[in-house]
Amino acid sequence: MLPVECAGCRERRPGLRHGVCADCAAALDGLRPRPVRPTPAPAGLPPCVALGPYAGPLREVLLAYKDHGRHGLARPLGALLAEVVAVAVGAVRPVLLVPVPDTAAAARARYGDHLGRLARHCAGRLRRAGWPVEVRRAVRALPRPDSVTLDSAGRAAAAETAFRVRDRWAPVPAGAAVVVLDDIVTTGSTLAAVSRALSATGGSPAVAAVLAATEKRAPM
């Protein structure tokens, strides 16, 4: 069996399981979802739960998936995201998953909506565990600059007008939890903007679930 590059540590190793080596798989399995909140938190940001910090194997796997075409990682990442949703929501009840949409340009660059794929695998994992789950593509993304190039103020300004709720956004069933999904939370501006757009149409999110949260570093 020929060695393949592990998405977590970039070492070439044979017999990778779901694209990562045993050591990186163990590191990912050891992460436990926890509440996170950017400081300062933008208006409208719901409670947010993340699997772990944007560092180590989790960061590398996300980069491999989003930017290097490792689409096979959608299944294990979706399963990890399902763990976050379960912790964030708590008791089993109907859940509406609303993934933050890519812009058309970002989807073309990544050969598809990367978060949409994660949401589908996340929903499948939750359904197998007995959760009533529906993925709703309730929000569309308008053209905006790549957030990687922006500072905190720029992210907030870009997010403010970046999303629109689709005309056919159906009412939320009684008792269902609306969960906004994203891969990474940095300033929280994107999650807050999507949440405000949904709230304005009667679909207030109960929580946001993400895979990774960036951590601010103290200035040197």
Side-chain angles (χ1 to χ4, degrees), residues 102-218:
D102 270 337
T103 62
R108 287 193 298 270
R110 292 168 177 156
Y111 299 99
D113 185 345
H114 77 287
L115 204 60
R117 285 191 295 266
L118 292 185
R120 289 193 296 273
H121 287 292
C122 174
R125 182 64 170 259
L126 288 168
R127 290 188 190 110
R128 290 191 291 275
W131 290 70
V133 179
E134 179 185 346
V135 178
R136 289 237 185 136
R137 308 308 298 272
V139 182
R140 63 187 181 92
L142 305 179
R144 65 184 187 275
D146 190 333
S147 61
V148 173
T149 66
L150 303 175
D151 59 13
S152 297
R155 286 171 183 262
E160 191 62 36
T161 59
F163 302 102
R164 292 287 184 275
V165 175
R166 296 183 185 277
D167 293 338
R168 296 183 180 180
W169 164 243
V172 176
V178 178
V179 181
V180 181
L181 301 181
D182 207 350
D183 50 0
I184 304 164
V185 59
T186 301
T187 66
S189 296
T190 296
L191 289 170
V194 171
S195 297
R196 288 194 299 269
L198 292 171
S199 296
T201 61
S204 299
V207 71
V210 303
L211 285 167
T214 59
E215 296 181 330
K216 287 186 176 181
R217 293 179 172 85

Side-chain angles (χ1 to χ4, degrees), residues 25 54 64 96 132:
Y54 186 53
L96 300 182

